[in-house]
């Protein structure tokens, strides 16, 4: 949680306060960008762009919205724009699994596969559904914070989340049955 005093100092032109503020939020900005774009380099680019925009626009932040929702709106909009500009690609990363307990090998493998299945299913969601899922379940935003962040009516956020969860459930069920989704 960023202190209001730090935000006010940054807005008033205190360069050190602004740099401290940006350092405090950079991890959350990157995390959101990564989950939306699903690419480390794109997430780093989007994060940098978002931090620059926050740096240049800090004076326009008004306290009627929470600072974290203002920041997330910026990074989410940048990611959505970036995602629309570039056609998504599928990358196959090789991962080594290190097993510490032989009895839990199956459990470790299955949870690894499940996590990958969920990530792939989230990647297949439309932009607006992916954004609300990322903000709700990965950034732990409330429905109202998501509505503020994405500049959407509260009922639209609820509807997007409902539909996104249905889509995820259907994709994961199809995958479990051995079907091909997407």
């Amino acid at each position: 949680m960023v202190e209001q005093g730090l935000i006010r100092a940054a807005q008033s032109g205190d360069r050190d306060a602004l740099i401290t503020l940006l350092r405090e939020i950079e991890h959350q900005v990157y995390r959101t960008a990564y989950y939306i774009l699903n690419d480390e380099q794109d997430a780093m680019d989007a994060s940098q762009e978002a931090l620059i925009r926050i740096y240049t626009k800090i004076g326009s932040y008004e306290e009627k919205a929470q600072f974290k929702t203002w920041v997330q709106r910026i990074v989410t909009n940048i990611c959505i724009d970036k995602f629309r500009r570039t056609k998504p690609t599928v990358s196959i990363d090789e991962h080594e699994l290190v097993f510490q307990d032989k009895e839990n090998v199956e459990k470790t493998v299955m949870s690894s596969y499940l996590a990958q299945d969920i990530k792939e299913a989230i990647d297949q969601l439309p932009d607006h559904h992916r954004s609300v899922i990322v903000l709700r379940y990965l950034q732990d935003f409330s429905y109202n914070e998501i509505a503020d962040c994405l500049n959407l009516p509260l009922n639209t956020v609820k509807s997007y989340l409902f539909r996104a969860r249905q889509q995820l459930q259907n994709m994961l069920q199809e995958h479990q049955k051995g079907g091909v989704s997407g």
Side-chain angles (χ1 to χ4, degrees):
M1 190 78 171
V2 179
E3 293 180 26
Q4 288 295 341
L6 184 61
I7 297 167
R8 287 188 193 108
Q11 286 181 302
S12 68
D14 182 339
R15 189 169 191 273
D16 291 335
L18 182 55
I19 290 169
T20 301
L21 178 66
L22 293 173
R23 284 191 178 136
E24 283 189 23
I25 63 172
E26 69 183 337
H27 177 72
Q28 292 292 31
V29 168
Y30 173 78
R31 184 175 171 195
T32 298
Y34 181 78
Y35 281 113
I36 291 175
L37 297 170
N38 191 34
D39 181 82
E40 186 176 338
Q41 190 61 46
D42 287 345
M44 288 171 48
D45 291 346
S47 297
Q48 184 177 19
E49 189 176 336
L51 291 170
I52 290 169
R53 191 165 301 164
I54 292 163
Y55 179 86
T56 59
K57 301 285 186 185
I58 190 72
S60 68
Y61 166 69
E62 297 175 5
E63 290 186 30
K64 58 185 172 186
Q66 287 188 31
F67 183 72
K68 74 177 185 175
T69 58
W70 182 75
V71 167
Q72 290 298 322
R73 179 181 303 145
I74 290 171
V75 70
T76 302
N77 288 340
I78 288 170
C79 289
I80 290 171
D81 289 345
K82 189 173 203 45
F83 194 78
R84 286 181 183 148
R85 279 183 268 147
T86 60
K87 196 170 191 168
T89 58
V90 177
S91 67
I92 300 172
D93 297 327
E94 293 183 34
H95 298 283
E96 280 187 39
L97 293 176
V98 178
F99 302 109
Q100 295 175 348
D101 183 359
K102 291 179 183 178
E103 292 177 15
N104 289 326
V105 170
E106 184 176 348
K107 184 178 179 181
T108 303
V109 170
M110 292 311 290
S111 67
S112 173
Y113 282 132
L114 178 60
Q116 186 63 32
D117 291 346
I118 292 170
K119 188 174 183 325
E120 288 173 4
I122 290 172
D123 292 344
Q124 292 178 27
L125 291 173
D127 294 347
H128 56 285
H129 287 171
R130 184 178 326 108
S131 296
V132 295
I133 289 291
V134 166
L135 291 174
R136 179 71 182 132
Y137 296 107
L138 301 175
Q139 296 292 357
D140 201 30
F141 273 39
S142 70
Y143 288 11
N144 287 327
E145 290 171 333
I146 296 169
D148 288 345
C149 179
L150 298 177
N151 202 22
L152 294 171
L154 181 60
N155 286 335
T156 302
V157 169
K158 290 177 182 179
S159 174
Y160 283 1
L161 279 168
F162 177 78
R163 289 186 186 125
R165 285 190 298 257
Q166 281 184 322
Q167 287 176 319
L168 286 172
Q169 184 178 12
N170 290 339
M171 283 188 263
L172 292 171
Q173 284 175 348
E174 282 297 314
H175 185 75
Q176 246 182 353
K177 292 176 187 175
V180 178
S181 59

